[in-house]
């Protein structure tokens, strides 16, 4: 889908920072892709940028998404800059700091009982009505553009290092960023621009770990209920990994 870029808040191109102090402890070179340098402080800006530009291309007047907070805040920022309204489906438990940002950006917030899965379902049920109101539904995992745009993180890592890393560890919820980054490296190899693909690891918060539970149960086709997660990976995290051939 060709998109003419009309709105750019200078998202992406974030620094890859070497953590020298951990080299001896872990006996490896460790880098952090600092996505906090994006306009809203989150990697979600990459997806929001493409989604809002798609809205402009399609002459939409609203942009909608379901989110636990970060994606909604990011979309509200880009929608405001584009002169359109955002419609955000979020759990009632969403931290006040994030909803304050959404309100400041003029968003219409739809609070949903339950967890993020319930917000996704509510947004999906309202999709036809939203589209009749001139909205584009930009929810990650539904909007294919979201996964495609996260390939740029893989490209930037490969360019910064001059090679493919052995491992890439990604914090994730539904895994759109994890799969997008993995796809980026896979395409680099397919084009002859990389000799291998890295092993990929997804990190999820305890109580908000549907991918980990799906791997353990070997069940992804049915909804997997999760508890209300803590708000940050820094609070409490556990990891699961999927491997792509090197």
């Amino acid at each position: 889908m060709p998109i003419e870029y009309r709105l750019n808040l200078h998202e992406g191109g974030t620094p890859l920072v070497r953590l020298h102090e951990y080299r001896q402890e872990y006996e490896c070179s460790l880098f952090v892709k600092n996505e906090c340098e994006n306009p809203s402080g989150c990697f979600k800006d990459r997806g929001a940028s493409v989604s809002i530009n798609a809205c402009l291309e399609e002459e939409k007047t609203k942009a909608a998404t379901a989110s636990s907070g970060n994606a909604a805040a990011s979309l509200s920022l880009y929608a405001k800059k584009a002169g359109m309204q955002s419609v955000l489906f979020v759990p009632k438990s969403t931290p006040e700091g994030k909803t304050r940002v959404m309100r400041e950006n003029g968003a219409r917030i739809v609070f949903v009982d339950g967890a993020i899965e319930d917000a996704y379902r509510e947004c999906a049920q309202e999709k036809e009505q939203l589209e009749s109101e001139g909205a584009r539904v930009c929810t990650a995992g539904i909007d294919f553009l979201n996964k495609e745009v996260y390939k740029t993180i893989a490209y930037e890592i490969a360019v910064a290092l001059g090679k493919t890393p052995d491992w890439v560890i990604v914090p994730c919820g539904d895994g759109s960023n994890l799969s997008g980054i993995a796809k980026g490296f896979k395409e680099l190899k397919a084009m002859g621009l990389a000799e291998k693909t890295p092993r990929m690891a997804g990190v999820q918060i305890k109580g908000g770990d549907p991918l980990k539970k799906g791997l353990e149960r070997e069940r992804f086709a049915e909804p997997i209920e999760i508890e209300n997660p803590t708000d940050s990976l820094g609070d409490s995290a556990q990891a699961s990994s999927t491997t792509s051939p090197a």
Side-chain angles (χ1 to χ4, degrees):
M1 176 182 177
I3 297 174
E4 178 186 351
Y5 250 63
R6 306 179 196 178
L7 177 67
N8 185 343
L9 302 184
H10 305 291
E11 63 284 338
T14 54
L16 189 67
V17 182
R18 183 192 289 269
L19 302 182
H20 294 280
E21 60 270 31
Y22 294 105
R23 181 179 177 85
Q24 185 173 356
E25 181 178 352
Y26 293 105
E27 298 182 345
C28 68
S29 295
L30 187 63
F31 297 83
V32 170
K33 184 71 167 150
N34 188 6
E35 290 292 286
C36 295
E37 294 291 319
N38 283 304
S40 79
C42 181
F43 76 93
K44 297 286 187 180
D45 290 349
R46 296 174 185 261
S49 174
V50 173
S51 292
I52 292 300
N53 276 285
C55 288
L56 293 171
E57 184 82 9
E58 298 167 1
E59 298 183 344
K60 301 295 186 181
T61 57
K62 299 178 183 178
T65 193
S67 165
S68 59
N70 287 336
S74 177
L75 191 71
S76 71
L77 170 64
Y78 279 79
K80 179 181 179 181
K81 294 294 184 181
M84 66 179 67
Q85 185 184 46
S86 53
V87 183
L88 312 173
F89 293 78
V90 301
K92 288 183 177 179
S93 58
T94 301
E96 193 275 332
K98 293 179 181 179
T99 58
R100 183 175 63 250
V101 170
M102 299 173 205
R103 289 192 181 96
E104 289 173 351
N105 289 325
R108 187 176 103 204
I109 306 174
V110 180
F111 288 103
V112 179
D113 289 321
I116 179 59
E117 288 85 358
D118 300 291
Y120 271 88
R121 282 191 283 269
E122 182 78 13
C123 184
Q125 290 170 3
E126 295 295 323
K127 185 174 184 291
E128 187 174 329
Q129 177 61 35
L130 288 165
E131 290 175 342
S132 73
E133 297 173 4
R136 185 179 198 276
V137 177
C138 308
T139 304
I142 296 175
D143 184 359
F144 75 95
L145 289 176
N146 273 277
K147 184 171 75 171
E148 292 297 311
V149 76
Y150 296 135
K151 295 189 297 187
T152 59
I153 296 177
Y155 303 158
E156 291 172 15
I157 291 173
V159 169
L161 292 178
K163 62 179 182 179
T164 301
D166 296 321
W167 281 87
V168 176
I169 302 171
V170 184
C172 55
D174 66 1
S176 58
N177 57 338
L178 177 67
S179 61
I181 295 169
K183 186 177 182 183
F185 282 114
K186 183 177 180 180
E187 291 183 359
L188 285 174
K189 183 182 178 184
M191 292 185 290
L193 298 175
E195 294 183 357
K196 65 176 184 178
T197 56
R199 298 186 71 182
M200 303 292 300
V203 182
Q204 299 196 292
I205 298 170
K206 287 183 178 179
D209 50 353
L211 298 183
K212 182 176 185 295
K213 288 178 178 177
L215 286 169
E216 291 173 344
R217 302 176 187 180
E218 297 183 351
R219 176 170 65 89
F220 287 94
E222 301 174 22
I224 299 173
E225 296 299 329
I226 64 173
E227 306 161 23
N228 285 326
T230 50
D231 186 42
S232 169
L233 282 172
D235 294 331
S236 181
Q238 57 189 4
S240 61
S241 67
T242 57
T243 305
S244 57

